[in-house]
């Protein structure tokens, strides 16, 4: 359903507002109906490791207006199919998605557009791929084999690592510790109605109503993680009055653009999660994969039906699938049955003070009425309930000065409070008042230059952010992010385009006010555990204090160049460089600086195009931190995001889930046919 998207960096503004720990947002531009003529296209993509994607869409006017009149009814239908294998053993992704849009534009004053989407998904989760990170694994591809007896897996007194680990041996980066019975299943549905009334040339009323539904099951039994979100949905409505007007000012007339309105939301969440029992490093990639299920461990069985166990013990999810477990009291990101309403008046105004000076001001107040409790299936002795009303303010100000036609300077200030989060976007009944007032403050100073007759664009900014990091099973904790970023874009003609980016970020998370520091499943490296006879997983924590953020590069350099001939033949080359990354707060294991190069060749004509994609065409071996042996959870699309949204989102989860290596080349080919009548 997505035509394009805007990745908006930094804390959100007054119109959209903050929702739970957020440091930016993605604005999806959905496919719009066609009113001019009938058109359609079909495409297919095939690639190495069983990659298959295909799709088609059609659209056009529904009515047949008389000569000289434009159509008032238009539609667009789109379909996407996916049946992907993976470079990694056992990983797959199968999807089907159906999208439709219909628009009614009877005149220039009133427009109504209805969008609907339905998707089904079947996949194997990628969170956990390879475990037991060591310098030898990263540098030389050597992995510690061996695993403890099943009777000792997950035990509170695990055996010394040197009693079962063998001598490191070469390992294929394709191997994983996945359990074949893992599953990921989901159904999503969306409906959205957008109406706009042009009341006058300078006054517009816009109403946006959204319905979203999700039903989701996921299990990674090798670590042990199970999740069932059953029939979650939300209804959101935003009404905006947008007006342009002029008032007298000290330096002449001032132009204004005012966007004022109210948004309300109702959300229903029924989420079951099991997170407390973790065994991420105790399986070996060389063992029988059918044994890698934490529920097979006798120690796990002692937690089943035990209200004194962590998180309130393990209980069967009502209605299955069986065996599917949840913990009633596991806090952040965990189990909850939530129904909440939110009303949010907002005001945002752009004031053009002079020809060179402008100011954006915004304010919003999110009023929450929350009812959260432990869900059905929770034994009475563990029942908890939270009923609370919360008010969260937001304020932003941004002056902009343009001293020269080719130079713009700006300053951004954003101050907002956000909430912690439970499973499915709900709230845990164990949350305290502090969980609903997490600070997100940003100061940013930047400059933008337009040079060489608008062919060369340069931008740079420095920033400081105070925010909170979201943690699995733990309260959110404060963090500070400081950085500098710069971008250069050069397009001397229509055929050639080049862009380069540099980003420096330094982050510190503050655990000084906590009784303990950041927790890890393993507070030392696998090599040290073997050498000193320590447990492979000790589920420990560090002392209180401040710690540099781990598992992300302080420096990121990226770039892309495209050249296209007049006949439609062209090529694109892109690259990404990442500075070194430590994988634990003890700084024992480090990913060295690394880079990856991608390319594509294409031939585009008015009615068809063909593209050949080459990913990592120099076959570099590079690693992406993905958690459970380290402490944080990273997704590959977020861990190295170049926009500011990645600053906190890539560092937002306390329990990590493994390590992945991307050291391979991959080839995709895409062919498309387009038709317009």
């Amino acid at each position: 359903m997505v035509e394009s998207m805007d990745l908006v960096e930094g804390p959100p503004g007054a119109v959209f507002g903050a929702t739970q720990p957020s440091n930016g947002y993605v604005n999806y531009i959905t496919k719009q109906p066609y009113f001019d003529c009938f058109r359609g296209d079909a495409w297919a993509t095939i690639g190495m490791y069983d990659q298959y994607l295909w799709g088609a869409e059609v659209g056009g006017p529904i009515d047949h207006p008389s000569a000289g009149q434009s159509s008032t009814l238009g539609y667009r239908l789109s379909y996407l199919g996916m049946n992907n294998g993976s470079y990694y053993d056992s990983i797959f992704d199968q999807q089907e998605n159906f999208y439709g849009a219909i628009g009614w534009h009877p005149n220039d004053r009133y427009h109504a557009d209805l969008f609907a989407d339905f998707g089904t998904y079947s996949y194997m989760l990628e969170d956990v791929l390879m475990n037991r990170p060591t310098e030898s694994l990263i540098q030389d591809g050597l992995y510690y084999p061996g695993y403890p007896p099943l009777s000792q897996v997950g035990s509170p007194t695990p055996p010394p690592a040197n009693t079962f680990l063998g001598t490191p041996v070469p390992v294929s980066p394709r191997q994983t510790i996945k359990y074949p019975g893992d599953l990921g299943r989901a159904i999503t549905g969306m409906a959205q109605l957008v109406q706009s009334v042009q009341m006058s040339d300078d006054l517009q009323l816009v109403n946006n109503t959204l319905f979203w539904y999700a039903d989701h099951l996921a299990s990674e039994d090798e670590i042990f993680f199970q999740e069932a979100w059953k029939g979650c949905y939300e209804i959101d409505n935003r009404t905006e009055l947008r007006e342009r007007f002029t008032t007298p000012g000290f330096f002449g007339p001032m132009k204004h653009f005012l966007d004022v309105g109210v948004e309300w939301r109702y959300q229903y969440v029924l989420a079951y999660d099991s997170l407390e029992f973790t065994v991420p490093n105790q399986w070996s990639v060389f063992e029988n994969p059918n044994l890698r299920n934490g529920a097979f461990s006798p120690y796990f069985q002692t937690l089943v039906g035990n209200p004194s166990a962590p998180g309130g013990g393990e209980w069967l999810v009502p209605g299955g699938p069986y065996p599917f477990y949840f913990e009633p009291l596991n806090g952040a990101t965990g189990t909850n049955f939530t129904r909440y309403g939110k009303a949010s008046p907002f005001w945002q105004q752009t004031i053009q003070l002079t020809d060179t000076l402008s100011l954006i001001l915004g304010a919003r107040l999110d009023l929450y009425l929350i009812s959260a409790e432990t869900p059905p299936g929770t034994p009475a002795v563990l029942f908890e309930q939270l009923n609370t009303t919360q008010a969260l303010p937001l304020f932003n100000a941004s002056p902009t000065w343009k001293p020269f036609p080719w130079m713009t300077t700006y300053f951004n200030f954003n101050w907002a409070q956000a909430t912690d989060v439970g499973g499915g976007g709900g709230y845990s009944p164990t949350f305290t008042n502090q969980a609903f007032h997490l600070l997100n403050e940003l100061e940013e100073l930047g400059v933008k230059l337009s040079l060489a007759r608008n062919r060369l664009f340069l931008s740079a900014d420095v920033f400081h952010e105070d925010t909170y990091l979201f943690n699995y099973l733990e309260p959110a904790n404060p963090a500070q992010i400081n950085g500098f970023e710069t971008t250069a874009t050069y397009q001397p003609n229509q055929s050639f385009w080049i862009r380069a980016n540099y980003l420096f970020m330094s982050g510190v998370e503050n655990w000084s006010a906590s009784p303990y520091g950041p927790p890890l499943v393993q507070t030392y490296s696998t090599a040290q555990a073997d050498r000193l006879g320590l447990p492979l997983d000790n589920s420990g924590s560090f002392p209180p204090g401040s710690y540099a953020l781990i598992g992300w590069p302080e420096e990121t350099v990226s770039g892309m160049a495209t050249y296209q001939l007049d006949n439609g033949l062209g090529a694109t080359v892109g690259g990404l460089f990442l500075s070194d990354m430590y994988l634990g707060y003890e700084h024992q294991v480090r990913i060295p600086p690394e880079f990856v190069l991608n390319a594509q060749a294409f031939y585009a004509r008015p009615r068809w195009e063909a593209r050949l994609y080459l990913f990592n065409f120099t076959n570099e071996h590079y690693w992406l931190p993905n958690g459970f042996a380290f402490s944080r959870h990273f997704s590959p699309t977020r861990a190295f995001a170049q926009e500011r949204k990645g600053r906190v989102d890539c560092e937002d989860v306390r329990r990590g889930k493994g390590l992945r290596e991307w050291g391979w080349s991959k080839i995709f080919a895409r062919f498309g046919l387009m038709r317009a009548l």
Side-chain angles (χ1 to χ4, degrees):
M1 67 179 179
V2 178
E3 189 87 76
S4 63
M5 62 182 72
D6 298 325
L7 282 82
V8 183
E9 56 185 21
V15 175
F16 296 127
T19 58
Q20 299 157 345
S22 76
N23 193 39
Y25 60 91
V26 179
N27 182 31
Y28 293 104
I29 311 301
T30 51
K31 295 178 178 178
Q32 302 296 303
Y34 292 128
F35 291 89
D36 51 356
C37 66
F38 177 83
R39 64 186 70 193
D41 67 86
W43 59 270
T45 301
I46 60 174
M48 296 171 62
Y49 308 109
D50 298 320
Q51 306 283 305
Y52 301 100
L53 299 91
W54 61 94
E57 68 174 38
V58 296
I62 298 175
D63 56 348
H64 301 282
S66 58
Q69 300 293 319
S70 60
S71 299
T72 62
L73 280 173
Y75 77 99
R76 192 167 176 180
L77 302 175
S78 181
Y79 166 77
L80 166 70
M82 177 186 297
N83 188 2
N84 281 351
S86 174
Y87 172 81
Y88 306 109
D89 293 343
S90 304
I91 301 298
F92 66 91
D93 189 0
Q94 299 170 347
Q95 300 184 21
E96 283 197 294
N97 186 263
F98 303 87
Y99 172 76
I102 186 170
W104 182 43
H105 299 178
N107 51 55
D108 293 337
R109 295 291 183 180
Y110 178 76
H111 287 181
D113 295 283
L114 177 65
F115 312 100
D117 182 89
F118 176 78
T120 63
Y121 314 87
S122 175
Y123 52 92
M124 175 74 83
L125 291 167
E126 256 188 26
D127 285 348
V128 184
L129 294 174
M130 191 174 290
N131 58 357
R132 303 181 181 179
T134 63
E135 283 290 316
S136 295
L137 177 63
I138 291 171
Q139 300 286 356
D140 305 314
L142 299 178
Y143 180 90
Y144 276 91
Y147 54 95
L150 188 61
S151 61
Q152 297 177 328
V153 169
S155 168
T157 56
N162 58 5
T163 61
F164 59 87
L165 290 182
T167 302
V169 295
V171 64
S172 167
R174 298 190 62 183
Q175 291 183 261
T176 71
I177 61 165
K178 299 300 293 182
Y179 172 61
D182 287 353
L183 63 85
R185 304 285 187 272
I187 296 175
T188 62
M190 184 274 291
Q192 184 178 24
L193 176 63
V194 181
Q195 301 177 84
S196 64
V197 180
Q198 196 70 38
M199 304 170 69
S200 69
D201 290 343
D202 297 318
L203 186 62
Q204 183 186 43
L205 182 66
V206 179
N207 181 266
N208 191 326
T209 302
L210 173 73
F211 172 81
W212 175 260
Y213 172 87
D215 194 279
H216 159 74
L217 292 171
S219 71
E220 294 177 289
D221 296 346
E222 64 275 2
I223 52 177
F224 176 85
F225 163 72
Q226 290 187 336
E227 183 172 77
W229 298 350
K230 297 197 168 189
C232 302
Y233 67 90
E234 66 178 81
I235 302 171
D236 192 286
N237 180 279
R238 185 174 68 246
T239 301
E240 302 173 57
L241 188 66
R242 302 170 181 173
E243 183 180 14
R244 298 182 184 275
F245 58 94
T246 302
T247 62
F250 292 106
F251 306 101
M254 296 189 303
K255 297 180 180 179
H256 301 256
F257 175 69
L258 176 66
D259 191 341
V260 62
V262 63
E263 179 178 2
W264 62 265
R265 170 182 295 179
Y266 175 80
Q267 189 159 343
Y268 172 97
V269 178
L270 178 57
Y272 296 90
D273 287 86
S274 177
L275 301 162
E276 295 275 5
F277 180 76
T278 57
V279 289
N281 287 302
Q282 298 184 35
W283 311 118
S284 164
V285 299
F286 296 112
E287 72 189 282
N288 180 353
N290 293 300
L291 299 177
R292 303 172 193 157
N293 188 327
F296 296 164
S297 165
Y299 178 66
F300 178 84
Q301 295 303 318
T302 67
L303 309 179
V304 176
N306 180 1
S308 300
E314 305 289 339
W315 305 84
L316 288 172
V317 174
Y322 296 105
F324 230 70
Y325 294 95
F326 77 100
E327 299 139 2
L329 302 174
N330 48 19
T333 77
T335 300
N336 70 96
F337 178 35
T338 300
R339 290 146 294 180
Y340 79 83
K342 183 175 73 168
S344 306
F346 61 86
W347 161 77
Q348 184 164 292
Q349 188 165 348
T350 302
I351 308 171
Q352 191 70 43
L353 300 169
T354 69
D355 290 340
T356 61
L357 183 64
S358 64
L359 177 65
I360 299 176
L361 297 172
R364 180 184 177 108
L365 184 63
D366 290 328
L367 301 170
Y368 286 86
L369 183 61
I370 298 171
S371 174
E373 61 188 56
T374 48
T378 301
V381 67
L382 297 175
F383 180 80
E384 294 283 348
Q385 188 173 29
L386 172 67
N387 291 294
T388 182
T389 301
Q390 301 288 339
L392 280 67
L394 178 153
F395 174 77
N396 62 271
S398 180
T400 299
W401 181 42
K402 194 171 185 177
F404 308 103
W406 47 269
M407 179 181 181
T408 301
T409 62
Y410 65 91
F411 176 75
N412 285 332
F413 174 78
N414 293 74
W415 188 96
Q417 290 185 341
T419 71
D420 208 345
V421 60
Y427 297 101
S428 170
T430 63
F431 278 176
T432 64
N433 189 65
Q434 182 184 6
F436 297 96
H437 298 279
L438 306 182
L439 174 67
N440 194 343
E441 179 181 334
L442 170 74
E443 293 87 27
E444 177 184 23
L445 179 64
V447 61
K448 297 182 179 180
L449 307 176
S450 176
L451 307 173
R453 298 181 179 180
N454 292 327
R455 293 185 177 92
L456 175 63
F457 300 92
L458 305 176
S459 66
D461 66 81
V462 293
F463 56 87
H464 167 84
E465 187 163 10
D466 291 291
T467 188
Y468 273 76
L469 298 184
F470 159 80
N471 298 310
Y472 268 136
L473 306 175
E474 302 282 344
N477 67 289
Q480 287 188 343
I481 315 290
N482 296 289
F484 166 78
E485 59 186 343
T486 182
T487 298
T489 303
Y490 182 53
Q491 187 174 9
N493 52 56
Q494 292 183 347
S495 299
F496 181 65
W497 178 86
I498 186 170
R499 179 182 176 93
N501 310 275
Y502 172 79
L503 174 62
F504 172 83
M505 298 184 296
S506 177
V508 175
E509 51 184 300
N510 188 352
W511 291 81
S512 300
S514 300
Y516 48 81
L520 283 112
V521 171
Q522 185 190 79
T523 60
Y524 36 72
S525 73
T526 299
Q528 185 178 7
D530 183 47
R531 185 170 59 251
L532 301 180
L534 303 172
L536 198 56
D537 293 331
N538 66 328
S539 298
S541 60
F542 291 85
S546 295
Y547 293 83
L549 293 174
I550 61 172
W552 70 347
E554 285 197 336
E555 294 182 273
T556 302
V557 182
S558 62
M560 179 178 292
T562 296
Y563 189 83
Q564 184 176 8
L565 300 172
D566 292 339
N567 63 6
L569 184 64
T572 297
V573 177
L576 176 66
F577 167 82
L578 307 170
S579 64
D580 61 347
M581 293 172 276
Y582 283 99
L583 303 183
Y585 297 98
E586 77 288 355
H587 284 195
Q588 291 185 358
V589 180
R590 181 184 73 105
I591 297 176
E594 54 193 13
F595 71 93
V596 62
L597 298 175
N598 303 318
Q600 63 172 284
F602 57 89
Y603 184 61
R605 303 302 297 165
R607 293 183 180 271
W608 64 274
E609 69 175 29
R611 293 179 181 266
L612 177 69
Y613 299 83
L614 304 173
F615 294 93
N616 190 21
F617 61 82
T618 58
N619 201 34
E620 300 301 319
H621 283 240
Y622 64 98
W623 295 86
L624 300 182
N626 210 28
F628 252 120
F630 318 134
S631 85
R632 295 285 192 192
H633 168 279
F634 305 95
S635 69
T637 57
R638 285 201 266 176
F640 306 124
Q642 298 160 40
E643 303 295 341
R644 182 150 329 108
K645 182 176 188 295
R647 278 183 205 133
V648 175
D649 279 359
C650 71
E651 285 287 329
D652 61 0
V653 182
R654 175 58 48 201
R655 295 284 181 118
K657 296 185 182 177
L659 181 72
R660 70 178 65 203
E661 180 185 27
W662 286 11
W664 41 281
S665 297
K666 184 165 63 173
I667 299 175
F668 279 103
R670 172 169 172 165
F671 305 93
L673 296 174
M674 294 169 282
R675 178 174 176 83
L677 301 178

